[in-house]
PDB file of all heavy atoms in Angstrom:
ATOM      1  N   THR A  19     110.484  96.166 113.897  1.00  0.00           N
ATOM      2  CA  THR A  19     109.309  95.632 113.184  1.00  0.00           C
ATOM      3  C   THR A  19     109.274  96.202 111.765  1.00  0.00           C
ATOM      4  O   THR A  19     109.808  97.286 111.492  1.00  0.00           O
ATOM      5  CB  THR A  19     107.992  95.989 113.909  1.00  0.00           C
ATOM      6  OG1 THR A  19     107.755  97.396 113.803  1.00  0.00           O
ATOM      7  CG2 THR A  19     108.032  95.574 115.374  1.00  0.00           C
ATOM      8  N   GLY A  20     108.658  95.447 110.871  1.00  0.00           N
ATOM      9  CA  GLY A  20     108.598  95.873 109.464  1.00  0.00           C
ATOM     10  C   GLY A  20     109.989  95.924 108.856  1.00  0.00           C
ATOM     11  O   GLY A  20     110.274  96.759 107.995  1.00  0.00           O
ATOM     12  N   ALA A  21     110.846  95.010 109.295  1.00  0.00           N
ATOM     13  CA  ALA A  21     112.268  95.084 108.909  1.00  0.00           C
ATOM     14  C   ALA A  21     112.595  94.252 107.673  1.00  0.00           C
ATOM     15  O   ALA A  21     113.751  94.076 107.331  1.00  0.00           O
ATOM     16  CB  ALA A  21     113.146  94.650 110.081  1.00  0.00           C
ATOM     17  N   GLY A  22     111.552  93.798 106.992  1.00  0.00           N
ATOM     18  CA  GLY A  22     111.802  93.058 105.758  1.00  0.00           C
ATOM     19  C   GLY A  22     112.038  93.967 104.570  1.00  0.00           C
ATOM     20  O   GLY A  22     112.409  93.493 103.491  1.00  0.00           O
ATOM     21  N   SER A  23     111.859  95.267 104.751  1.00  0.00           N
ATOM     22  CA  SER A  23     111.886  96.180 103.600  1.00  0.00           C
ATOM     23  C   SER A  23     112.225  97.588 104.079  1.00  0.00           C
ATOM     24  O   SER A  23     112.138  97.898 105.271  1.00  0.00           O
ATOM     25  CB  SER A  23     110.483  96.155 102.956  1.00  0.00           C
ATOM     26  OG  SER A  23     110.307  97.188 102.035  1.00  0.00           O
ATOM     27  N   GLY A  24     112.619  98.431 103.143  1.00  0.00           N
ATOM     28  CA  GLY A  24     112.679  99.880 103.350  1.00  0.00           C
ATOM     29  C   GLY A  24     113.426 100.347 104.590  1.00  0.00           C
ATOM     30  O   GLY A  24     114.554  99.931 104.868  1.00  0.00           O
ATOM     31  N   ILE A  25     112.783 101.231 105.341  1.00  0.00           N
ATOM     32  CA  ILE A  25     113.404 101.886 106.498  1.00  0.00           C
ATOM     33  C   ILE A  25     113.721 100.863 107.598  1.00  0.00           C
ATOM     34  O   ILE A  25     114.776 100.936 108.241  1.00  0.00           O
ATOM     35  CB  ILE A  25     112.465 103.003 107.031  1.00  0.00           C
ATOM     36  CG1 ILE A  25     112.373 104.138 105.999  1.00  0.00           C
ATOM     37  CG2 ILE A  25     112.945 103.520 108.386  1.00  0.00           C
ATOM     38  CD1 ILE A  25     111.256 105.148 106.273  1.00  0.00           C
ATOM     39  N   GLY A  26     112.826  99.899 107.799  1.00  0.00           N
ATOM     40  CA  GLY A  26     113.056  98.880 108.837  1.00  0.00           C
ATOM     41  C   GLY A  26     114.267  98.023 108.519  1.00  0.00           C
ATOM     42  O   GLY A  26     115.085  97.732 109.395  1.00  0.00           O
ATOM     43  N   CYS A  44     111.532  91.507 112.604  1.00  0.00           N
ATOM     44  CA  CYS A  44     110.132  91.106 112.484  1.00  0.00           C
ATOM     45  C   CYS A  44     109.512  91.692 111.231  1.00  0.00           C
ATOM     46  O   CYS A  44     109.771  92.852 110.883  1.00  0.00           O
ATOM     47  CB  CYS A  44     109.393  91.588 113.739  1.00  0.00           C
ATOM     48  SG  CYS A  44     107.684  92.041 113.459  1.00  0.00           S
ATOM     49  N   ASP A  45     108.703  90.909 110.546  1.00  0.00           N
ATOM     50  CA  ASP A  45     107.896  91.431 109.434  1.00  0.00           C
ATOM     51  C   ASP A  45     106.715  90.498 109.246  1.00  0.00           C
ATOM     52  O   ASP A  45     106.819  89.302 109.531  1.00  0.00           O
ATOM     53  CB  ASP A  45     108.724  91.508 108.146  1.00  0.00           C
ATOM     54  CG  ASP A  45     108.149  92.512 107.150  1.00  0.00           C
ATOM     55  OD1 ASP A  45     107.116  92.211 106.518  1.00  0.00           O
ATOM     56  OD2 ASP A  45     108.722  93.622 107.017  1.00  0.00           O
ATOM     57  N   ILE A  46     105.612  91.033 108.743  1.00  0.00           N
ATOM     58  CA  ILE A  46     104.464  90.169 108.435  1.00  0.00           C
ATOM     59  C   ILE A  46     104.830  89.202 107.319  1.00  0.00           C
ATOM     60  O   ILE A  46     104.288  88.106 107.226  1.00  0.00           O
ATOM     61  CB  ILE A  46     103.214  91.025 108.081  1.00  0.00           C
ATOM     62  CG1 ILE A  46     101.963  90.157 108.113  1.00  0.00           C
ATOM     63  CG2 ILE A  46     103.382  91.699 106.720  1.00  0.00           C
ATOM     64  CD1 ILE A  46     100.673  90.960 108.054  1.00  0.00           C
ATOM     65  N   ASP A  47     105.772  89.610 106.485  1.00  0.00           N
ATOM     66  CA  ASP A  47     106.295  88.758 105.416  1.00  0.00           C
ATOM     67  C   ASP A  47     107.490  87.974 105.987  1.00  0.00           C
ATOM     68  O   ASP A  47     108.600  88.498 106.105  1.00  0.00           O
ATOM     69  CB  ASP A  47     106.722  89.665 104.246  1.00  0.00           C
ATOM     70  CG  ASP A  47     107.306  88.881 103.078  1.00  0.00           C
ATOM     71  OD1 ASP A  47     107.739  87.729 103.281  1.00  0.00           O
ATOM     72  OD2 ASP A  47     107.337  89.445 101.968  1.00  0.00           O
ATOM     73  N   ALA A  50     110.683  87.795 103.960  1.00  0.00           N
ATOM     74  CA  ALA A  50     111.428  89.064 103.942  1.00  0.00           C
ATOM     75  C   ALA A  50     112.172  89.250 105.269  1.00  0.00           C
ATOM     76  O   ALA A  50     113.323  89.711 105.299  1.00  0.00           O
ATOM     77  CB  ALA A  50     110.484  90.229 103.683  1.00  0.00           C
ATOM     78  N   THR A  70     105.693  88.100 111.946  1.00  0.00           N
ATOM     79  CA  THR A  70     104.734  88.591 112.952  1.00  0.00           C
ATOM     80  C   THR A  70     103.861  89.672 112.345  1.00  0.00           C
ATOM     81  O   THR A  70     104.379  90.603 111.710  1.00  0.00           O
ATOM     82  CB  THR A  70     105.481  89.229 114.152  1.00  0.00           C
ATOM     83  OG1 THR A  70     106.359  88.278 114.726  1.00  0.00           O
ATOM     84  CG2 THR A  70     104.512  89.738 115.211  1.00  0.00           C
ATOM     85  N   ASP A  71     102.564  89.574 112.575  1.00  0.00           N
ATOM     86  CA  ASP A  71     101.646  90.662 112.230  1.00  0.00           C
ATOM     87  C   ASP A  71     101.528  91.547 113.467  1.00  0.00           C
ATOM     88  O   ASP A  71     100.973  91.122 114.483  1.00  0.00           O
ATOM     89  CB  ASP A  71     100.287  90.064 111.842  1.00  0.00           C
ATOM     90  CG  ASP A  71      99.243  91.140 111.556  1.00  0.00           C
ATOM     91  OD1 ASP A  71      99.546  92.338 111.709  1.00  0.00           O
ATOM     92  OD2 ASP A  71      98.116  90.763 111.194  1.00  0.00           O
ATOM     93  N   VAL A  72     102.045  92.768 113.384  1.00  0.00           N
ATOM     94  CA  VAL A  72     102.031  93.630 114.583  1.00  0.00           C
ATOM     95  C   VAL A  72     100.608  94.018 114.996  1.00  0.00           C
ATOM     96  O   VAL A  72     100.383  94.453 116.126  1.00  0.00           O
ATOM     97  CB  VAL A  72     102.898  94.906 114.416  1.00  0.00           C
ATOM     98  CG1 VAL A  72     104.360  94.566 114.220  1.00  0.00           C
ATOM     99  CG2 VAL A  72     102.363  95.794 113.299  1.00  0.00           C
ATOM    100  N   GLY A  73      99.665  93.860 114.092  1.00  0.00           N
ATOM    101  CA  GLY A  73      98.272  94.157 114.421  1.00  0.00           C
ATOM    102  C   GLY A  73      97.575  93.026 115.162  1.00  0.00           C
ATOM    103  O   GLY A  73      96.387  93.122 115.456  1.00  0.00           O
ATOM    104  N   ASN A  98     108.400 100.168 113.595  1.00  0.00           N
ATOM    105  CA  ASN A  98     108.474 100.791 112.273  1.00  0.00           C
ATOM    106  C   ASN A  98     107.391 100.298 111.316  1.00  0.00           C
ATOM    107  O   ASN A  98     107.036 101.015 110.382  1.00  0.00           O
ATOM    108  CB  ASN A  98     109.877 100.497 111.708  1.00  0.00           C
ATOM    109  CG  ASN A  98     109.951 100.670 110.210  1.00  0.00           C
ATOM    110  OD1 ASN A  98     110.067 101.798 109.723  1.00  0.00           O
ATOM    111  ND2 ASN A  98     109.871  99.572 109.464  1.00  0.00           N
ATOM    112  N   ALA A  99     106.882  99.066 111.532  1.00  0.00           N
ATOM    113  CA  ALA A  99     105.947  98.490 110.565  1.00  0.00           C
ATOM    114  C   ALA A  99     104.774  99.443 110.332  1.00  0.00           C
ATOM    115  O   ALA A  99     104.220 100.007 111.278  1.00  0.00           O
ATOM    116  CB  ALA A  99     105.417  97.147 111.077  1.00  0.00           C
ATOM    117  N   GLY A 100     104.428  99.637 109.064  1.00  0.00           N
ATOM    118  CA  GLY A 100     103.303 100.515 108.767  1.00  0.00           C
ATOM    119  C   GLY A 100     102.782 100.288 107.375  1.00  0.00           C
ATOM    120  O   GLY A 100     103.468  99.717 106.523  1.00  0.00           O
ATOM    121  N   VAL A 101     101.537 100.699 107.172  1.00  0.00           N
ATOM    122  CA  VAL A 101     100.933 100.633 105.834  1.00  0.00           C
ATOM    123  C   VAL A 101     100.319 101.992 105.518  1.00  0.00           C
ATOM    124  O   VAL A 101      99.981 102.756 106.426  1.00  0.00           O
ATOM    125  CB  VAL A 101      99.852  99.532 105.749  1.00  0.00           C
ATOM    126  CG1 VAL A 101     100.471  98.138 105.841  1.00  0.00           C
ATOM    127  CG2 VAL A 101      98.779  99.714 106.822  1.00  0.00           C
ATOM    128  N   VAL A 122      97.276  98.201 111.901  1.00  0.00           N
ATOM    129  CA  VAL A 122      98.727  98.045 111.802  1.00  0.00           C
ATOM    130  C   VAL A 122      99.441  99.244 112.436  1.00  0.00           C
ATOM    131  O   VAL A 122     100.307  99.091 113.307  1.00  0.00           O
ATOM    132  CB  VAL A 122      99.165  97.917 110.321  1.00  0.00           C
ATOM    133  CG1 VAL A 122     100.683  97.757 110.227  1.00  0.00           C
ATOM    134  CG2 VAL A 122      98.461  96.748 109.649  1.00  0.00           C
ATOM    135  N   ASN A 123      99.059 100.448 112.016  1.00  0.00           N
ATOM    136  CA  ASN A 123      99.853 101.633 112.377  1.00  0.00           C
ATOM    137  C   ASN A 123      99.650 102.097 113.820  1.00  0.00           C
ATOM    138  O   ASN A 123     100.566 102.691 114.405  1.00  0.00           O
ATOM    139  CB  ASN A 123      99.502 102.796 111.445  1.00  0.00           C
ATOM    140  CG  ASN A 123      99.935 102.556 110.011  1.00  0.00           C
ATOM    141  OD1 ASN A 123     100.368 101.468 109.669  1.00  0.00           O
ATOM    142  ND2 ASN A 123      99.817 103.564 109.172  1.00  0.00           N
ATOM    143  N   VAL A 149     108.129 104.894 114.634  1.00  0.00           N
ATOM    144  CA  VAL A 149     108.208 105.597 113.347  1.00  0.00           C
ATOM    145  C   VAL A 149     106.823 106.174 113.027  1.00  0.00           C
ATOM    146  O   VAL A 149     105.864 105.432 112.795  1.00  0.00           O
ATOM    147  CB  VAL A 149     108.711 104.669 112.226  1.00  0.00           C
ATOM    148  CG1 VAL A 149     108.721 105.417 110.897  1.00  0.00           C
ATOM    149  CG2 VAL A 149     110.118 104.168 112.571  1.00  0.00           C
ATOM    150  N   SER A 150     106.741 107.496 113.075  1.00  0.00           N
ATOM    151  CA  SER A 150     105.517 108.225 112.708  1.00  0.00           C
ATOM    152  C   SER A 150     105.678 108.681 111.257  1.00  0.00           C
ATOM    153  O   SER A 150     106.158 107.902 110.425  1.00  0.00           O
ATOM    154  CB  SER A 150     105.324 109.381 113.684  1.00  0.00           C
ATOM    155  OG  SER A 150     104.232 110.189 113.298  1.00  0.00           O
ATOM    156  N   SER A 151     105.345 109.912 110.950  1.00  0.00           N
ATOM    157  CA  SER A 151     105.479 110.373 109.562  1.00  0.00           C
ATOM    158  C   SER A 151     105.523 111.887 109.504  1.00  0.00           C
ATOM    159  O   SER A 151     104.842 112.574 110.282  1.00  0.00           O
ATOM    160  CB  SER A 151     104.294 109.873 108.735  1.00  0.00           C
ATOM    161  OG  SER A 151     104.265 110.525 107.477  1.00  0.00           O
ATOM    162  N   GLY A 152     106.286 112.397 108.540  1.00  0.00           N
ATOM    163  CA  GLY A 152     106.314 113.834 108.276  1.00  0.00           C
ATOM    164  C   GLY A 152     104.942 114.368 107.899  1.00  0.00           C
ATOM    165  O   GLY A 152     104.689 115.572 108.021  1.00  0.00           O
ATOM    166  N   TYR A 164      95.877 107.129 107.487  1.00  0.00           N
ATOM    167  CA  TYR A 164      97.333 107.110 107.656  1.00  0.00           C
ATOM    168  C   TYR A 164      97.780 108.284 108.549  1.00  0.00           C
ATOM    169  O   TYR A 164      98.490 108.085 109.544  1.00  0.00           O
ATOM    170  CB  TYR A 164      98.006 107.195 106.275  1.00  0.00           C
ATOM    171  CG  TYR A 164      99.511 107.148 106.335  1.00  0.00           C
ATOM    172  CD1 TYR A 164     100.182 105.932 106.487  1.00  0.00           C
ATOM    173  CD2 TYR A 164     100.283 108.316 106.255  1.00  0.00           C
ATOM    174  CE1 TYR A 164     101.571 105.878 106.550  1.00  0.00           C
ATOM    175  CE2 TYR A 164     101.661 108.265 106.314  1.00  0.00           C
ATOM    176  CZ  TYR A 164     102.298 107.056 106.457  1.00  0.00           C
ATOM    177  OH  TYR A 164     103.678 107.005 106.525  1.00  0.00           O
ATOM    178  N   LYS A 168      99.302 108.163 112.387  1.00  0.00           N
ATOM    179  CA  LYS A 168     100.656 108.653 112.693  1.00  0.00           C
ATOM    180  C   LYS A 168     100.630 109.750 113.759  1.00  0.00           C
ATOM    181  O   LYS A 168     101.584 109.901 114.529  1.00  0.00           O
ATOM    182  CB  LYS A 168     101.340 109.132 111.405  1.00  0.00           C
ATOM    183  CG  LYS A 168     101.612 107.990 110.396  1.00  0.00           C
ATOM    184  CD  LYS A 168     102.530 106.925 110.978  1.00  0.00           C
ATOM    185  CE  LYS A 168     102.961 105.891 109.959  1.00  0.00           C
ATOM    186  NZ  LYS A 168     103.859 104.873 110.521  1.00  0.00           N
ATOM    187  N   LEU A 193     109.973 111.125 112.384  1.00  0.00           N
ATOM    188  CA  LEU A 193     108.992 111.483 111.362  1.00  0.00           C
ATOM    189  C   LEU A 193     109.695 111.584 110.016  1.00  0.00           C
ATOM    190  O   LEU A 193     110.226 112.643 109.661  1.00  0.00           O
ATOM    191  CB  LEU A 193     108.339 112.841 111.701  1.00  0.00           C
ATOM    192  CG  LEU A 193     107.354 112.929 112.858  1.00  0.00           C
ATOM    193  CD1 LEU A 193     107.939 112.516 114.195  1.00  0.00           C
ATOM    194  CD2 LEU A 193     106.786 114.332 112.952  1.00  0.00           C
ATOM    195  N   PRO A 194     109.744 110.492 109.262  1.00  0.00           N
ATOM    196  CA  PRO A 194     110.428 110.574 107.967  1.00  0.00           C
ATOM    197  C   PRO A 194     109.618 111.407 106.973  1.00  0.00           C
ATOM    198  O   PRO A 194     108.392 111.392 106.990  1.00  0.00           O
ATOM    199  CB  PRO A 194     110.489 109.115 107.491  1.00  0.00           C
ATOM    200  CG  PRO A 194     110.110 108.277 108.664  1.00  0.00           C
ATOM    201  CD  PRO A 194     109.255 109.139 109.534  1.00  0.00           C
ATOM    202  N   GLY A 195     110.355 112.111 106.119  1.00  0.00           N
ATOM    203  CA  GLY A 195     109.720 112.699 104.932  1.00  0.00           C
ATOM    204  C   GLY A 195     109.774 111.659 103.821  1.00  0.00           C
ATOM    205  O   GLY A 195     110.137 110.496 104.046  1.00  0.00           O
ATOM    206  N   SER A 196     109.442 112.075 102.608  1.00  0.00           N
ATOM    207  CA  SER A 196     109.357 111.132 101.476  1.00  0.00           C
ATOM    208  C   SER A 196     110.692 110.424 101.268  1.00  0.00           C
ATOM    209  O   SER A 196     111.703 111.053 100.985  1.00  0.00           O
ATOM    210  CB  SER A 196     108.970 111.888 100.209  1.00  0.00           C
ATOM    211  OG  SER A 196     107.691 112.445 100.377  1.00  0.00           O
ATOM    212  N   THR A 197     110.661 109.120 101.437  1.00  0.00           N
ATOM    213  CA  THR A 197     111.876 108.298 101.433  1.00  0.00           C
ATOM    214  C   THR A 197     111.712 107.180 100.408  1.00  0.00           C
ATOM    215  O   THR A 197     110.633 106.582 100.313  1.00  0.00           O
ATOM    216  CB  THR A 197     112.096 107.696 102.839  1.00  0.00           C
ATOM    217  OG1 THR A 197     112.131 108.772 103.782  1.00  0.00           O
ATOM    218  CG2 THR A 197     113.386 106.906 102.924  1.00  0.00           C
ATOM    219  N   ARG A 198     112.782 106.920  99.666  1.00  0.00           N
ATOM    220  CA  ARG A 198     112.699 105.949  98.557  1.00  0.00           C
ATOM    221  C   ARG A 198     112.619 104.517  99.080  1.00  0.00           C
ATOM    222  O   ARG A 198     113.646 103.892  99.376  1.00  0.00           O
ATOM    223  CB  ARG A 198     113.920 106.094  97.657  1.00  0.00           C
ATOM    224  CG  ARG A 198     113.770 105.358  96.343  1.00  0.00           C
ATOM    225  CD  ARG A 198     113.316 106.337  95.314  1.00  0.00           C
ATOM    226  NE  ARG A 198     112.451 105.738  94.319  1.00  0.00           N
ATOM    227  CZ  ARG A 198     112.201 106.328  93.152  1.00  0.00           C
ATOM    228  NH1 ARG A 198     112.763 107.484  92.854  1.00  0.00           N
ATOM    229  NH2 ARG A 198     111.377 105.769  92.298  1.00  0.00           N
ATOM    230  N   THR A 199     111.428 104.026  99.240  1.00  0.00           N
ATOM    231  CA  THR A 199     111.192 102.649  99.692  1.00  0.00           C
ATOM    232  C   THR A 199     110.083 102.077  98.815  1.00  0.00           C
ATOM    233  O   THR A 199     109.417 102.820  98.077  1.00  0.00           O
ATOM    234  CB  THR A 199     110.709 102.620 101.157  1.00  0.00           C
ATOM    235  OG1 THR A 199     109.409 103.229 101.205  1.00  0.00           O
ATOM    236  CG2 THR A 199     111.653 103.340 102.107  1.00  0.00           C
ATOM    237  N   PRO A 200     109.812 100.766  98.925  1.00  0.00           N
ATOM    238  CA  PRO A 200     108.688 100.196  98.181  1.00  0.00           C
ATOM    239  C   PRO A 200     107.365 100.935  98.454  1.00  0.00           C
ATOM    240  O   PRO A 200     106.551 101.110  97.549  1.00  0.00           O
ATOM    241  CB  PRO A 200     108.656  98.751  98.671  1.00  0.00           C
ATOM    242  CG  PRO A 200     110.092  98.441  98.963  1.00  0.00           C
ATOM    243  CD  PRO A 200     110.641  99.705  99.560  1.00  0.00           C
ATOM    244  N   MET A 201     107.166 101.396  99.707  1.00  0.00           N
ATOM    245  CA  MET A 201     105.932 102.135  99.998  1.00  0.00           C
ATOM    246  C   MET A 201     105.858 103.413  99.161  1.00  0.00           C
ATOM    247  O   MET A 201     104.820 103.765  98.596  1.00  0.00           O
ATOM    248  CB  MET A 201     105.856 102.490 101.494  1.00  0.00           C
ATOM    249  CG  MET A 201     104.582 103.204 101.884  1.00  0.00           C
ATOM    250  SD  MET A 201     104.572 103.779 103.593  1.00  0.00           S
ATOM    251  CE  MET A 201     104.257 102.287 104.497  1.00  0.00           C
ATOM    252  N   MET A 202     106.994 104.122  99.046  1.00  0.00           N
ATOM    253  CA  MET A 202     107.040 105.363  98.263  1.00  0.00           C
ATOM    254  C   MET A 202     106.931 105.055  96.770  1.00  0.00           C
ATOM    255  O   MET A 202     106.247 105.777  96.023  1.00  0.00           O
ATOM    256  CB  MET A 202     108.342 106.101  98.586  1.00  0.00           C
ATOM    257  CG  MET A 202     108.589 107.380  97.826  1.00  0.00           C
ATOM    258  SD  MET A 202     107.251 108.601  97.838  1.00  0.00           S
ATOM    259  CE  MET A 202     106.991 108.900  99.574  1.00  0.00           C
TER     260      MET A 202
HETATM  261  N1  NAD B   1     108.803 105.830 102.791  1.00  0.00           N
HETATM  262  C1  NAD B   1     108.348 107.002 103.200  1.00  0.00           C
HETATM  263  O1  NAD B   1     108.384 107.996 102.461  1.00  0.00           O
HETATM  264  C2  NAD B   1     107.801 107.154 104.603  1.00  0.00           C
HETATM  265  C3  NAD B   1     107.483 108.453 105.029  1.00  0.00           C
HETATM  266  C4  NAD B   1     106.973 108.624 106.308  1.00  0.00           C
HETATM  267  C5  NAD B   1     106.808 107.548 107.155  1.00  0.00           C
HETATM  268  N2  NAD B   1     107.121 106.301 106.706  1.00  0.00           N
HETATM  269  C6  NAD B   1     106.904 105.191 107.634  1.00  0.00           C
HETATM  270  O2  NAD B   1     108.068 104.403 107.727  1.00  0.00           O
HETATM  271  C7  NAD B   1     107.699 103.072 108.054  1.00  0.00           C
HETATM  272  C8  NAD B   1     108.383 102.127 107.087  1.00  0.00           C
HETATM  273  O3  NAD B   1     107.905 102.401 105.793  1.00  0.00           O
HETATM  274  P1  NAD B   1     108.700 102.043 104.453  1.00  0.00           P
HETATM  275  O4  NAD B   1     108.592 103.225 103.581  1.00  0.00           O
HETATM  276  O5  NAD B   1     110.005 101.470 104.783  1.00  0.00           O
HETATM  277  O6  NAD B   1     107.682 100.970 103.872  1.00  0.00           O
HETATM  278  P2  NAD B   1     107.897  99.526 103.237  1.00  0.00           P
HETATM  279  O7  NAD B   1     106.559  99.190 102.664  1.00  0.00           O
HETATM  280  O8  NAD B   1     109.097  99.474 102.395  1.00  0.00           O
HETATM  281  O9  NAD B   1     108.170  98.632 104.526  1.00  0.00           O
HETATM  282  C9  NAD B   1     107.167  98.372 105.478  1.00  0.00           C
HETATM  283  C10 NAD B   1     107.363  96.961 105.996  1.00  0.00           C
HETATM  284  O10 NAD B   1     106.366  96.731 106.997  1.00  0.00           O
HETATM  285  C11 NAD B   1     105.865  95.430 106.820  1.00  0.00           C
HETATM  286  N3  NAD B   1     104.517  95.330 107.373  1.00  0.00           N
HETATM  287  C12 NAD B   1     103.360  95.792 106.860  1.00  0.00           C
HETATM  288  N4  NAD B   1     102.338  95.451 107.651  1.00  0.00           N
HETATM  289  C13 NAD B   1     102.859  94.769 108.691  1.00  0.00           C
HETATM  290  C14 NAD B   1     102.297  94.143 109.823  1.00  0.00           C
HETATM  291  N5  NAD B   1     100.962  94.143 110.043  1.00  0.00           N
HETATM  292  N6  NAD B   1     103.126  93.527 110.698  1.00  0.00           N
HETATM  293  C15 NAD B   1     104.459  93.490 110.480  1.00  0.00           C
HETATM  294  N7  NAD B   1     105.047  94.043 109.402  1.00  0.00           N
HETATM  295  C16 NAD B   1     104.246  94.680 108.520  1.00  0.00           C
HETATM  296  C17 NAD B   1     105.850  95.222 105.309  1.00  0.00           C
HETATM  297  O11 NAD B   1     105.793  93.839 104.957  1.00  0.00           O
HETATM  298  C18 NAD B   1     107.160  95.884 104.908  1.00  0.00           C
HETATM  299  O12 NAD B   1     108.242  94.976 104.911  1.00  0.00           O
HETATM  300  C19 NAD B   1     106.176 103.010 108.000  1.00  0.00           C
HETATM  301  O13 NAD B   1     105.642 103.105 109.305  1.00  0.00           O
HETATM  302  C20 NAD B   1     105.815 104.238 107.201  1.00  0.00           C
HETATM  303  O14 NAD B   1     104.528 104.721 107.485  1.00  0.00           O
HETATM  304  C21 NAD B   1     107.614 106.080 105.457  1.00  0.00           C
END
Side-chain angles (χ1 to χ4, degrees):
T19 69
S23 167
I25 292 168
C44 147
D45 202 286
I46 194 168
D47 179 340
T70 302
D71 176 357
V72 297
N98 161 80
V101 291
V122 180
N123 293 8
V149 178
S150 174
S151 168
Y164 181 80
K168 294 299 188 179
L193 288 59
S196 297
T197 304
R198 193 97 213 197
T199 67
M201 182 186 283
M202 178 51 57

